[in-house]
Amino acid sequence: MTIAQAQQEALAALGAARFDGGNYYFVDSHKGIALQHANKSLIGTNRYIAKDIYGKFTDRPMIEAARAGHPIFNEYYIPKAGSNVPEPKISTMIAVPEWGWFIGTGLYMDDLKTDFYSHLIGLAEIFLPLFCAFVTLIFLTRRAVSGLLATMTNSMRQLASGDLGVAVPCVGRGDEIGAMADAVQVFKDNALRTQRLEQEQAQARRG
C-alpha cells in the first residue's frame, strides 16, 4: 500500500467514525485545508481562516498549538452534522507530522452538559440512599444514647435522694456510657457499704 492509499484509507475511516451519539473527527492539512469533515461541504475549504458566527477562528488556534507541540482546547460555534444551526463546541487537534495532518475532534456543549447531568444523577442515585441511611443511623444512635443518658441521669438522681435500691443501668458496657455507669455503681456500692456499717454500729450501741 502506498502512502497515498494509506492516507485515503485513514481519511475514510476517520470520516465514518462516530462516538458519543454523533460526535466526529475532522482532518486539516498543514495549510489548514479540510481533508475530512462530517460536514462534507467543508472538505476542500480553508479552515485556517474559517470563523464562527461571532468572528472567532475555529481551527487556526488548534492548528498553531498542535504545530508547536502544545495542543489546546478551542471553543467556538459550528452546526452539528446535518444541521445549519451553529452550536457551542469545544475541540482540540493533534499533529501528524509525517503526513502534515492535523486531526481534531470535540464535543458539543449541550452533549457535555447532558453527559454531566447524567453522571450527576447516577452519582445521586448511589450516594443519596447512603446519605439517607447515614442520617438515619445518626438519628437512631443519638436517640439511643439520649435514652441511655436519661436513664442514667434518673438513676443518679434516685441515688442522690437516698434510694440505694435503684438498679444502675449500662454497667459493664465497653464504652463511655459503660464507664460512667461503672463509676455510679462504685458510688452506690460505697453508699451501701457505709449504710451497712452505720446499721451495724447502731445495733452494737443498742446491744
Side-chain angles (χ1 to χ4, degrees), residues 9 22 27 54 60 123 192 202-203 205:
E9 292 287 341
V27 183
Y54 296 107
R60 178 185 290 187
L123 289 174
L192 287 171
Q203 289 177 356
R205 284 195 296 270

Side-chain angles (χ1 to χ4, degrees), residues 10-179:
L11 288 175
L14 290 168
R18 295 290 184 273
F19 64 95
D20 290 344
N23 289 302
Y24 54 86
Y25 298 94
F26 52 96
V27 183
D28 292 347
S29 72
H30 67 284
K31 293 182 179 180
I33 304 302
L35 302 177
Q36 184 58 274
H37 201 284
N39 184 348
K40 302 307 179 184
S41 65
L42 296 181
I43 297 176
T45 63
N46 189 346
R47 303 300 298 163
Y48 191 78
I49 61 173
K51 297 180 180 180
D52 66 8
I53 58 173
Y54 296 107
K56 183 176 182 179
F57 285 109
T58 58
D59 294 23
R60 178 185 290 187
M62 296 185 291
I63 291 174
E64 292 178 346
R67 182 180 287 126
H70 303 287
I72 62 169
F73 289 95
N74 190 35
E75 297 181 31
Y76 54 91
Y77 281 73
I78 190 171
K80 290 184 176 181
S83 171
N84 294 319
V85 180
E87 297 187 34
K89 185 175 186 177
I90 182 169
S91 300
T92 188
M93 300 185 86
I94 61 171
V96 183
E98 295 80 5
W99 288 357
W101 285 6
F102 297 97
I103 301 176
T105 189
L107 295 171
Y108 284 93
M109 299 304 291
D110 59 344
D111 294 337
L112 195 60
K113 290 178 181 178
T114 299
D115 188 58
F116 170 76
Y117 287 124
S118 176
H119 281 81
L120 190 63
I121 292 172
L123 289 174
E125 290 175 347
I126 295 173
F127 288 106
L128 187 58
L130 293 177
F131 176 75
C132 292
F134 179 69
V135 171
T136 301
L137 179 62
I138 291 177
F139 172 76
L140 294 176
T141 301
R142 181 177 179 182
R143 188 170 68 174
V145 170
S146 297
L148 291 174
L149 290 176
T151 303
M152 182 69 64
T153 301
N154 184 57
S155 66
M156 292 173 69
R157 286 199 183 101
Q158 289 180 269
L159 287 172
S161 67
D163 181 7
L164 301 181
V166 65
V168 179
C170 304
V171 173
R173 286 173 60 104
D175 54 15
E176 290 80 0
I177 294 178

